[in-house]
Amino acid sequence: MNKKFLSAILFGALMVSSTGTFVSCKDYDDDIDAINKELTDLKSKLSDLESKVNAGGAYVTKIESVDGGFKVSVSDGTSYNLTVASAAPGSKVVIDDKTGEISIDGKATGWFATTGEGEEAVDMTPYVKDGYWYFYDKAAKDFVKSEYKAAGDAYAVVKDGVVTLHMPDESGKMQSIVLPLTANALTAISLPAGLTIGNTVATGAAADAEAISSAKAAKLDWKGPKGAIEKDQFLVGQIGVADLVVSPKNYDLSAQKLTLVDSKGNVAPVKVIATPNTFNSVIVGDRAASENGNWNLTVEMTDEVTADNINKVFKGTGANADKEILYALCVNGIPYTAYDIAIKTKAPETSVAAITFAAANLSYIDAEGTEVKGATDAIELPVGTTTLKYAAAKLYDSYITFEGTYKAKAEKLGVKADGMTVTVPQAASGETLVATVHMVNIGGVETTTSNTITLELAGASIDTPTEISATEYKVMPNADFTKVLPAILIDLGDALSKLDAATIEAVQNANQLSVVEAATQEGFIVASTANVFTSTYYKANAQGKKGAAWDASDDGLESLRFIEIAVATDVANNNVAEDAKPGKYTLNLVIKDGTTVGNEIAKIAMPVNVTVPAFDDLFAATDAWTEGVYGARIYPSANDALISMSNAYTAKSGVDANYNKIAYAFDKINNVAVGTVGNAQQVTLDKAVVYKDKALANSELKATASYSILDAMTAYTGSGSDVTKLTAIKKAFTVESSKFTVKLQTIFDGGKIVFYKDNAVVTGTVGIDADGKIAGLTKPSNKKQGLAINFLSADLAVNSTNVADSYPSDNDNKLQGYAFGNSSAAAASDKQIKVTWSTGIPTVTVKEDASGLVFENSDSSSPTYETTLTATFEDATGIVYTSSIKVEKK
């Protein structure tokens, strides 16, 4: 009996106002076996596709019908034909873009595939079950099984911006693979690998995370935000918070639908919550979106999680019953992480003691992103609205109240508590209140004793300080480390003398002054302690420069003119910050009244621009440069080819910089390094890159020079000699040259043979004497006569002493330090050059003797000849050079 088969990609029903098609085929039952045999190839393709999307950030750009299946195109330019070759093309299926009715081979079927926005208000997406297609029948108001069998049991559905591939696994069971269809505003999520969320969060191993606590509670008339607790109500304790980062940074993760989904498409029974994070995984207050791309991620259990299943619902089955299920984080249904997120739970507790209150467990995040914790039964609160959090694994709910006399005082001051949120008006600055922290645990047991804490309401602050001109602080090099970083001197000008008389009069003690920076400021060159700098104050002298020290007890505030902040006086007294780097920063001179709270009565914003000089401000090019190009002659080390960069630059006058500390980096050629930069600025060239066929293949290299201004630094406050942090500081204060060209010269470039007559080089033909010789160089009457090797304006006589069977060792027999060996000598090494002679006439050979070159002719029938004498030189690195002169035997 004939069967009908349908392998489909559904477009029209799932993308509004689009007419879609999918391909069907008519075949026999026997073909099913052939189709299923090809699923192994499909599995491989799907695995590769998933890897690109999940790990590489790719997305599906197009999905279209092809014979036997469908083609998936990916954003990286690749595509995958997910087809069953044995399924021949057949019927044409069209989904009407207005009515949603399906037609096959031009005939209306009465089946529909719409977006679910019609009168039935149901999702009419066709699906495959038991190998057959099910379509929605409006008359039956239900899905009906069609006569069409799904070809290969594989199909794709495009909906809501994602494509879901339905493919059978090796056992024939259908699996769903969800892939992003188009680029989303969200491009990537960075979450710690191997993340386990429990009461605490860990990465890499589930055992490292503390499991989430839960219990059946006793009945309690609880007044907290979560309301009264019924008997045996199932309560879950605190759940840990993980850090994640989104790209782009301005993406609002909190506005999206977040889920945890396993690799089979099952959604974890949790509500996934993202809140902006500005500090170390601590939940912050209500804020629309993160400003830096950093978010907190936590979960809440849904009603599906009960006391009976909490220790099972997040674990596998069978052999995996003791292992956590691994999930991916999905944003609007699209997976953005690997499947390696686990939720760790444990069996509900049967007996839970009341939580013992501890001030150190109470905390909040201030406006600058800093975590503030309670201490010695007190916590300082700023003006404004602050949400506190109490950290306890078994805490279910909490809230704050003011009791007794403190209730009346709070009302008078206008301080309000709502749940764990406290609002402090400006008028309450400097006051203190005692608050009661009500807590109930997962067992329904309330903490009723020793649960009070003193709230120290911060003094008044000034939001808009007076700003002075910026201080320019340029970090210059110095060979003496004790002078590397002088103190920063800030000139206040007349900023303090302009303050009103009452403010000036209020300052009677230096402790009322402090130089602080914002907690969020990073990279300033000086380390601060709790955001406060150690500073020294000075008056001005008659010339308006730094004068005598300012004394608050004797000098009025108006006479304070200069603030000095030490940076590095010596190795032992080094205040360089661990994250120091050049940039624009702001410090604040904060002036407070003399009260215990210390209300701000004046604030001066003091910009400090930390800069470094340009590379060209420190170093000048030497005469080794020609029109902006550095010339470097190769020299040998054994058989390696080296160049030196040590004479490329010299320190400019008045600059205490060591040019021998300059570092050099070279651009790669065809993605291969041209060499290795070693000590003393020597570069060992990679001959496989720079050489070819015994000649230079690349004579011009591109390079940059860099200099670490803080190269002498060996220690700094807070980290001693920590290599990683020290390296980061040195890198931050490293200056770099613009890119330049290094022109290579080979070792013997310019070397040649010459023949002198009366001190002049003969340019014509050189005669061979009657005895068959050309004499080597001599200097009778100080006039050069004879044959020589010439190199860098120096000459070496050609004879068997200077060009020998073994390389001469005496400097008098060398040329510019190079020794020459003849054809009988070993291969050259180090500063050796091998030379061989040829004439172009097979019967004429050349060899050295004590006085020059001897020409021997084995053909007595041709006693006279004219030819070219060629010297072939080969240096130790393998470069070959030739030089010739015309010779004649009469």
Side-chain angles (χ1 to χ4, degrees):
M1 176 180 173
N2 288 354
K3 297 286 186 182
K4 297 179 181 180
F5 294 84
L6 201 61
S7 180
I9 305 172
L10 305 174
F11 287 106
L14 312 172
M15 298 175 68
V16 178
S17 300
S18 297
T19 299
T21 65
F22 54 95
V23 179
S24 70
C25 60
K26 295 181 179 179
D27 216 325
Y28 299 98
D29 286 326
D30 292 343
D31 287 324
I32 295 177
D33 293 335
I35 291 171
N36 288 334
K37 288 179 181 179
E38 294 172 304
L39 292 179
T40 300
D41 179 56
L42 285 176
K43 180 180 178 182
S44 175
K45 290 179 179 178
L46 285 168
S47 177
D48 187 44
L49 181 56
E50 280 191 287
S51 176
K52 283 188 177 181
V53 171
N54 293 336
Y59 55 88
V60 176
T61 57
K62 184 190 295 185
I63 182 165
E64 54 193 314
S65 300
V66 295
D67 289 346
F70 42 88
K71 176 182 178 182
V72 177
S73 298
V74 186
S75 57
D76 66 356
T78 60
S79 61
Y80 297 82
N81 276 15
L82 305 178
T83 62
V84 181
S86 52
S91 299
K92 183 76 173 288
V93 179
V94 176
I95 303 173
D96 189 280
D97 63 342
K98 294 181 179 179
T99 66
E101 185 170 12
I102 299 172
S103 296
I104 300 179
D105 293 331
K107 295 181 179 179
T109 63
W111 298 327
F112 291 81
T114 71
T115 59
E117 296 176 354
E119 57 193 37
E120 285 78 15
V122 294
D123 186 346
M124 300 178 183
T125 305
Y127 60 88
V128 172
K129 179 180 178 182
D130 302 325
Y132 286 89
W133 279 98
Y134 281 70
F135 296 97
Y136 189 80
D137 187 322
K138 281 192 174 183
K141 295 187 181 301
D142 200 359
F143 282 88
V144 296
K145 180 179 180 181
S146 75
E147 59 185 320
Y148 288 94
K149 198 160 189 177
D153 283 341
Y155 67 101
V157 174
V158 179
K159 186 176 183 179
D160 295 335
V162 299
V163 56
T164 304
L165 304 180
H166 298 271
M167 310 294 293
D169 59 20
E170 293 172 326
S171 65
K173 184 179 180 181
M174 293 299 293
Q175 59 177 320
S176 300
I177 300 166
V178 180
L179 304 172
L181 180 62
T182 57
N184 192 287
L186 177 63
T187 58
I189 284 180
S190 176
L191 197 63
L195 175 67
T196 298
I197 300 175
N199 166 245
T200 59
V201 172
T203 59
D208 294 337
E210 186 177 322
I212 299 168
S213 297
S214 64
K216 287 185 177 180
K219 181 178 178 63
L220 179 67
D221 185 19
W222 175 247
K223 304 298 184 182
K226 294 183 179 179
I229 299 172
E230 300 298 325
K231 179 176 173 47
D232 290 335
Q233 183 177 337
F234 180 58
L235 306 182
V236 177
Q238 288 186 340
I239 299 175
V241 181
D243 296 327
L244 64 80
V245 181
V246 300
S247 296
K249 291 182 178 180
N250 61 355
Y251 186 81
D252 188 358
L253 196 63
S254 63
Q256 317 307 316
K257 180 181 179 182
L258 305 179
T259 53
L260 293 179
V261 181
D262 68 19
S263 59
K264 302 300 182 183
N266 300 312
V267 179
V270 295
K271 178 183 178 182
V272 183
I273 303 167
T275 52
N277 173 22
T278 55
F279 183 87
N280 292 351
S281 300
V282 180
I283 297 176
V284 299
D286 295 334
R287 208 176 300 177
S290 170
E291 297 176 356
N292 55 13
N294 297 329
W295 292 80
N296 293 313
L297 183 75
T298 191
V299 299
E300 290 180 0
M301 303 298 173
T302 67
D303 292 340
E304 297 176 54
V305 180
T306 66
D308 295 330
N309 68 12
I310 189 170
N311 201 30
K312 301 176 183 178
V313 70
F314 300 106
K315 290 184 173 64
T317 58
N320 295 318
D322 61 339
K323 297 179 180 178
E324 278 77 14
I325 296 171
L326 298 179
Y327 301 97
L329 175 61
C330 292
V331 181
N332 299 326
I334 303 172
Y336 276 90
T337 70
Y339 290 92
D340 63 354
I341 302 172
I343 298 176
K344 187 174 183 180
T345 57
K346 58 184 178 182
E349 300 188 30
T350 56
S351 177
V352 189
I355 296 170
T356 301
F357 178 79
N361 290 347
L362 194 66
S363 67
Y364 66 91
I365 301 299
D366 67 15
E368 296 178 337
T370 302
E371 183 182 25
V372 179
K373 289 186 175 183
T376 58
D377 296 323
I379 190 168
E380 181 178 326
L381 290 187
V383 171
T385 300
T386 302
T387 299
L388 294 101
K389 174 179 180 289
Y390 190 87
K394 299 175 184 179
L395 180 69
Y396 170 67
D397 197 13
S398 60
Y399 66 99
I400 290 173
T401 62
F402 299 106
E403 306 291 341
T405 58
Y406 291 106
K407 180 178 181 180
K409 184 176 181 180
E411 290 176 352
K412 182 178 179 180
L413 294 173
V415 178
K416 297 179 180 179
D418 182 7
M420 292 296 286
T421 299
V422 179
T423 301
V424 179
Q426 185 74 44
S429 296
E431 298 286 346
T432 60
L433 285 170
V434 174
T436 300
V437 182
H438 302 268
M439 298 183 293
V440 64
N441 66 18
I442 54 177
V445 181
E446 184 177 0
T447 299
T448 57
T449 60
S450 302
N451 57 331
T452 59
I453 188 168
T454 299
L455 304 183
E456 298 175 346
L457 309 184
S461 61
I462 296 174
D463 295 330
T464 306
T466 301
E467 185 169 317
I468 63 172
S469 299
T471 298
E472 301 295 332
Y473 183 77
K474 182 175 286 189
V475 182
M476 293 294 290
N478 197 300
D480 180 356
F481 174 65
T482 64
K483 299 178 181 177
V484 170
L485 299 174
I488 298 172
L489 187 66
I490 299 173
D491 186 348
L492 295 170
D494 59 0
L496 296 183
S497 62
K498 286 185 175 181
L499 295 176
D500 61 83
T503 300
I504 292 174
E505 181 63 26
V507 178
Q508 300 295 323
N509 193 304
N511 291 336
Q512 293 176 244
L513 307 182
S514 58
V515 177
V516 302
E517 66 175 339
T520 54
Q521 180 166 283
E522 297 179 351
F524 187 61
I525 193 166
V526 184
S528 60
T529 301
N531 307 320
V532 178
F533 296 95
T534 300
S535 307
T536 308
Y537 305 109
Y538 294 92
K539 297 183 291 185
N541 60 20
Q543 291 74 39
K545 304 296 183 182
K546 187 182 96 171
W550 177 81
D551 187 342
S553 60
D554 296 327
D555 303 314
L557 180 64
E558 73 281 2
S559 66
L560 195 165
R561 173 71 179 274
F562 294 96
I563 299 176
E564 188 173 81
I565 303 173
V567 182
T569 56
D570 54 47
V571 174
N573 295 284
N574 189 344
N575 298 319
V576 177
E578 296 175 357
D579 61 348
K581 58 187 175 182
K584 294 183 177 181
Y585 304 93
T586 298
L587 312 183
N588 288 299
L589 173 62
V590 176
I591 304 172
K592 296 183 177 181
D593 60 21
T595 64
T596 303
V597 174
N599 296 294
E600 292 182 5
I601 56 176
K603 184 183 289 184
I604 310 296
M606 306 177 295
V608 179
N609 298 335
V610 180
T611 62
V612 292
F615 183 88
D616 292 341
D617 292 337
L618 303 179
F619 300 101
T622 65
D623 57 8
W625 297 71
T626 302
E627 296 181 352
V629 175
Y630 175 69
R633 185 179 289 272
I634 297 171
Y635 65 93
S637 175
N639 297 112
D640 289 333
L642 286 73
I643 60 172
S644 174
M645 301 299 295
S646 62
N647 64 335
Y649 293 99
T650 185
K652 284 190 171 181
S653 177
V655 175
D656 192 1
N658 187 348
Y659 67 89
N660 287 320
K661 294 289 188 179
I662 295 174
Y664 294 91
F666 290 81
D667 288 0
K668 294 180 178 180
I669 295 178
N670 297 326
N671 207 34
V672 179
V674 299
T676 303
V677 181
N679 295 330
Q681 299 173 318
Q682 293 177 327
V683 183
T684 302
L685 301 173
D686 185 342
K687 293 191 289 186
V689 177
V690 179
Y691 286 13
K692 184 178 182 181
D693 299 330
K694 296 190 175 184
L696 273 181
N698 294 285
S699 62
E700 293 188 351
L701 308 179
K702 298 296 183 182
T704 52
S706 60
Y707 185 79
S708 175
I709 295 175
L710 300 186
D711 181 74
M713 181 177 286
T714 58
Y716 50 94
T717 297
S719 299
S721 57
D722 185 292
V723 173
T724 301
K725 294 176 180 176
L726 182 59
T727 300
I729 293 177
K730 289 183 178 181
K731 184 177 180 181
F733 287 91
T734 293
V735 295
E736 189 173 271
S737 72
S738 56
K739 190 166 291 187
F740 59 88
T741 299
V742 177
K743 176 72 173 179
L744 299 181
Q745 285 182 287
T746 54
I747 292 172
F748 198 57
D749 183 34
K752 57 190 175 181
I753 55 173
V754 295
F755 186 84
Y756 289 98
K757 183 176 181 181
D758 296 333
N759 267 347
V761 175
V762 175
T763 57
T765 301
V766 175
I768 300 173
D769 295 340
D771 59 357
K773 292 185 178 182
I774 294 180
L777 177 67
T778 59
K779 298 180 181 179
S781 302
N782 282 329
K783 289 185 178 181
K784 294 180 182 180
Q785 308 286 348
L787 187 64
I789 301 173
N790 176 270
F791 180 50
L792 299 179
S793 303
D795 297 302
L796 181 70
V798 176
N799 55 48
S800 57
T801 302
N802 297 335
V803 184
D805 292 347
S806 60
Y807 298 95
S809 58
D810 194 325
N811 287 334
D812 292 339
N813 303 117
K814 296 179 180 179
L815 179 60
Q816 300 288 19
Y818 284 90
F820 292 82
N822 60 25
S823 57
S824 298
S829 178
D830 285 316
K831 298 190 74 173
Q832 298 173 346
I833 296 175
K834 186 169 184 175
V835 57
T836 56
W837 309 95
S838 62
T839 63
I841 301 175
T843 59
V844 178
T845 58
V846 181
K847 67 179 182 179
E848 306 87 356
D849 74 357
S851 60
L853 283 184
V854 178
F855 290 76
E856 295 179 345
N857 187 0
S858 62
D859 186 359
S860 58
S861 65
S862 301
T864 63
Y865 52 85
E866 184 175 355
T867 188
T868 299
L869 173 66
T870 299
T872 300
F873 303 94
E874 184 168 356
D875 66 33
T877 69
I879 297 290
V880 170
Y881 318 76
T882 60
S883 177
S884 303
I885 61 172
K886 293 289 186 180
V887 297
E888 181 181 24
K889 178 68 169 67
K890 293 184 178 179

